[in-house]
Amino acid sequence: MANSVQWLIKIYHQGEYFWKYAVFGFMAALINVLAFWLLHAVLAEHYLFSNTIAWIVATLFSFFTNKAVVFQSKSQNFWHWCREFVSFMLTRGLSYFFDTFLMFLGISVLIWSAMLVKIIDQVLVGLFNYGTSRLIFMESNQKMRMRRMLLKRLNNRNN
């Protein structure tokens, strides 16, 4: 039993960012789907308009949760925060076009149910978003790891 718990803890720590992102990514996808459903199914808005508003709401939620909780990125100053925000929004802008293309393909071309397409869309877009978010918020952490690794190598050479 103790080995099983240790194994689970090891698995969690090996993919810590992924597991945190999975939880908050699921929450963002849920926000996206619910906002889309409210606008499209309940308020009868066009699916592309509904998709855009749902994307905006979910993307803002994602920025703040990814920054603060998932990757624990600390902005050194206001400009660093702005750079992270702009980078995040630009990469999510790419995923917005992918998202919109999938919605158009599924609903207008394949004539599938809007909610089915939205759910499939969120899984595919979520995988893309994990990779880009990790690059943006892990940048400073990667620089610190590289510095530590270089210092360690230098110390090993000197010893």
Side-chain angles (χ1 to χ4, degrees), residues 22-135:
V23 169
F24 287 98
F26 175 77
M27 291 170 60
L30 190 60
I31 288 169
N32 194 312
V33 169
L34 289 174
F36 177 80
W37 172 79
L38 176 68
L39 291 163
H40 181 66
V42 175
L43 299 177
E45 293 292 341
H46 189 271
Y47 76 90
L48 291 175
F49 174 79
S50 301
N51 188 57
T52 299
I53 300 304
W55 176 85
I56 291 168
V57 171
T59 300
L60 289 172
F61 171 82
S62 290
F63 173 76
F64 291 106
T65 56
N66 281 326
K67 181 169 178 45
V69 180
V70 177
F71 300 110
Q72 298 173 347
S73 174
K74 308 276 190 272
S75 297
Q76 292 117 12
N77 56 47
F78 176 73
W79 296 113
H80 182 256
W81 184 92
C82 288
R83 193 180 90 222
E84 283 182 333
F85 183 76
V86 168
S87 296
F88 186 85
M89 294 308 282
L90 286 173
T91 57
R92 289 296 168 101
L94 292 175
S95 70
Y96 168 73
F97 289 114
F98 180 52
D99 182 342
T100 302
F101 170 75
L102 290 174
M103 294 296 289
F104 175 78
L105 179 67
I107 296 170
S108 293
V109 177
L110 299 174
I111 311 176
W112 291 354
S113 158
M115 289 308 295
L116 173 65
V117 174
K118 188 64 180 169
I119 291 167
I120 293 170
D121 162 79
Q122 285 303 290
V123 171
L124 296 174
V125 170
L127 294 171
F128 174 80
N129 287 342
Y130 172 70
T132 58
S133 295
R134 187 174 168 108
L135 288 174

Side-chain angles (χ1 to χ4, degrees), residues 149-159:
M149 193 169 65
L150 287 172
L151 287 173
K152 187 176 180 180
R153 285 184 183 172
L154 289 172
N155 285 336
N156 288 341
R157 285 184 184 172
N158 292 337
N159 292 333

